[in-house]
Amino acid sequence: MLATGVLSMLLLDGGLGINLLLAAIPAGLAAYFAGRAAGRRPRAWSLVWGIGGLGLLAVPALRDADWPSFLAVTAAIGLGSLALNGGRTWPAILLGPISVINSVVTGVTWGWLGLRERFGGARRGVGVGLRSLVVSVLLLLVFGALFAGADAAFADLLGDLVPDTSVTGGPVRVVLLVAGLVVALAAAHTAAAPVRLDRVVVRPGTPRNRVEWALPLIVLTVLFAAFNAVQLVVLFGGYDAVLKKTGQTYAEYARQGFWQLLIVTLLTLLVVVFALRWAPRDGAGDRKFVRGVLGTLCALALVVVASAVRRMDMYVEAYGLTRLRISVLAGELWLGLVIVLIMAAGVWGARWLPRVVAASAAVGVLAFGLMSPDGLIAENNVQRYEDTGKFDILYARDLSADAVPALDKLKEPARSCVLSAIADELGEDDTPWYAMSWGEARARDILRDDPPAASVDESVCNSLTEVPEYR
């Protein structure tokens, strides 16, 4: 726990990179040993959640963009709560983070009582620990200073590896120290005394008879079938006839449809949840009936998902890729996977469903971060520029350093206009190694080897934004 606080104080003051993972590892070890001391045995799923949470913290070390890193850190917190508390039911999956937040308060008291019990009020044990620490620090300082004075290369290595310990930003460092300690205490306390959220019982709703339950769902299924039939006609009959009949453009047709179909997918999942709550369950016949009705609805919903994905593909072809578009597309694909998992649960039972859905969400967030969304956006829009001659300079200037390798392929003066804005955002090359992402380091190398042209100033870039092809 102390290591977590010290690493947080030393490493987290300059931004996010591999430093977050380095500070989280000792906190995870503290939780592991606290759980074992309390008599808990690590289960397979707890190890999966813990390793997965640490894996998600690698995203800030690889990507410069803030939004995939935020998603990864948020998902890591959720997986961490599952690793600490355990659980296989929906209440345990959804409410796990709340128990960890509660331990932020109780963990400090628990840690203080543990220290008093460990040392038993004796000063000798504390004195031995303090003397050992002081001697270790003195040896490091003396011999480190001598070696640094003896070799300039070693001095540079120490300067790069050792975090800044100056008094500048002292209050911030104290806050980071305390925050690291509190988080580590909360994790260890939760591991030692988890909240058994699996014991929370969600009572099923009152079962309805078949007619009352099935009639609305059958009507909805018929509506889905009619919509999907139209989609098949459009698919095989071509879009031209539909666009001619509706008077819409290709892009308008795509933009109009995707968002509605995304909402349809979300509402379908809600309908399935509530339908299962009030489903008839008098015997095997009712179970087969429920599976048949909901299975048909889910199968038709998958066609809606495919249609939504196709609409977004058309939308991107017309307008290019953006952060919002790639995010909602990834969300729609994940919702389609959830529907498939629900259908599988109807066949093989649903006991495994909560954990698998949570795991699929974590894997999706990890894959989303690793594939570099800003880089994909830049690659798509650069390719679209090569194919159509159209490129949104203003939007590209707001992308992160992850987009630099793709944007480096643009022709002048568009290249310099875009990269100069990203270079200004990066600032001076004084970010410590532990707070710099791999995406930022790669972008700095590209900008250093081939910097933006000095002749392309802000007035040139502003004039480009008035050209229709660059808007």
Side-chain angles (χ1 to χ4, degrees):
M1 299 174 201
L2 181 61
T4 302
V6 172
L7 287 174
S8 300
M9 176 185 67
L10 296 178
L11 302 181
L12 297 183
D13 192 25
L16 292 184
I18 199 172
N19 49 7
L20 190 60
L21 179 60
L22 294 176
I25 288 175
L29 292 174
Y32 173 79
F33 290 118
R36 289 197 58 178
R40 293 186 66 190
R41 295 182 179 180
R43 298 181 180 273
W45 272 103
S46 296
L47 294 176
V48 169
W49 298 134
I51 295 172
L54 292 176
L56 284 164
L57 294 182
V59 173
L62 297 174
R63 303 299 170 217
D64 180 63
D66 294 333
W67 56 300
S69 296
F70 172 78
L71 290 175
V73 172
T74 303
I77 294 173
L79 291 192
S81 69
L82 291 175
L84 297 172
N85 286 309
R88 62 181 63 184
T89 63
W90 286 115
I93 299 293
L94 299 176
L95 302 179
I98 297 177
S99 65
V100 180
I101 295 174
N102 180 63
S103 293
V104 169
V105 178
T106 59
V108 175
T109 303
W110 172 77
W112 173 249
L113 295 176
L115 281 176
R116 292 182 59 183
E117 180 181 349
R118 175 62 59 88
F119 291 109
R123 298 180 179 179
R124 182 179 178 182
V126 179
V128 170
L130 289 176
R131 285 196 298 271
S132 300
L133 180 62
V134 170
V135 172
S136 300
V137 171
L138 287 175
L139 289 174
L140 285 175
L141 289 176
V142 172
F143 283 91
L146 290 173
F147 283 133
D151 190 285
F154 186 76
D156 291 337
L157 178 63
L158 284 182
D160 293 335
L161 294 179
V162 178
D164 180 19
T165 56
S166 62
V167 296
T168 305
V172 175
R173 293 184 181 277
V174 172
V175 171
L176 290 174
L177 172 65
V178 174
L181 280 171
V182 170
V183 170
L185 282 167
H189 183 224
T190 306
V195 179
R196 301 298 183 183
L197 293 172
D198 278 335
R199 299 173 182 173
V200 177
V201 178
V202 179
R203 298 184 180 278
T206 303
R208 311 294 180 179
N209 63 62
R210 290 192 180 187
V211 175
E212 181 184 5
W213 179 85
L215 182 59
L217 294 176
I218 292 174
V219 171
L220 182 62
T221 301
V222 171
L223 179 62
F224 270 65
F227 177 82
N228 291 339
V230 172
Q231 298 305 294
L232 292 175
V233 170
V234 172
L235 178 63
F236 291 105
Y239 289 99
D240 293 338
V242 176
L243 299 181
K244 182 178 180 180
K245 184 176 181 179
T246 60
Q248 293 179 315
T249 65
Y250 184 81
E252 289 172 345
Y253 180 78
R255 179 172 54 186
Q256 180 191 36
F258 175 81
W259 301 104
Q260 289 87 337
L261 297 182
L262 176 63
I263 296 174
V264 165
T265 307
L266 290 169
L267 292 179
T268 301
L269 289 174
L270 289 177
V271 168
V272 170
V273 170
F274 286 107
L276 288 172
R277 180 172 175 79
W278 290 301
R281 43 184 178 270
D282 289 336
D286 281 344
R287 288 194 293 271
K288 291 182 180 179
F289 180 70
V290 170
R291 289 175 182 173
V293 173
L294 293 183
T296 303
L297 180 60
C298 288
L300 294 173
L302 287 178
V303 180
V304 173
V305 171
S307 178
V309 172
R310 174 55 185 152
R311 298 288 184 105
M312 178 53 70
D313 183 54
M314 296 167 57
Y315 196 14
V316 170
E317 286 180 8
Y319 291 106
L321 195 60
T322 65
R323 289 172 172 173
L324 177 60
R325 292 164 196 166
I326 194 174
S327 299
V328 295
L329 178 59
E332 179 73 6
L333 291 173
W334 178 73
L335 291 175
L337 175 61
V338 172
I339 293 175
V340 172
L341 294 175
I342 290 174
M343 295 174 67
V347 178
W348 293 296
R351 186 178 182 183
W352 50 269
L353 185 61
R355 289 191 294 195
V356 173
V357 170
S360 68
V363 171
V365 171
L366 179 60
F368 189 72
L370 294 180
M371 72 180 185
S372 182
D374 275 14
L376 285 178
I377 292 169
E379 289 178 6
N380 177 274
N381 291 336
V382 169
Q383 183 62 47
R384 178 172 172 266
Y385 171 66
E386 294 175 354
D387 295 339
T388 66
K390 295 181 179 180
F391 187 80
D392 191 341
I393 284 184
L394 288 177
Y395 189 85
R397 285 165 66 92
D398 288 333
L399 294 176
S400 67
D402 298 330
V404 169
L407 297 176
D408 186 49
K409 302 175 184 177
L410 288 171
K411 298 178 181 179
E412 295 291 355
R415 175 189 179 275
S416 293
C417 281
V418 174
L419 294 186
S420 61
I422 297 177
D424 291 341
E425 185 68 23
L426 289 176
E428 298 294 331
D429 190 6
D430 56 356
T431 304
W433 64 270
Y434 49 81
M436 181 184 296
S437 67
W438 178 70
E440 179 182 345
R442 185 171 58 163
R444 289 188 182 277
D445 289 340
I446 294 174
L447 295 172
R448 186 184 305 112
D449 295 338
D450 189 8
S455 59
V456 181
D457 56 13
E458 196 65 26
S459 61
V460 175
C461 297
N462 290 334
S463 64
L464 282 181
T465 59
E466 301 298 327
V467 180
E469 288 78 7
Y470 290 103
R471 297 172 62 184

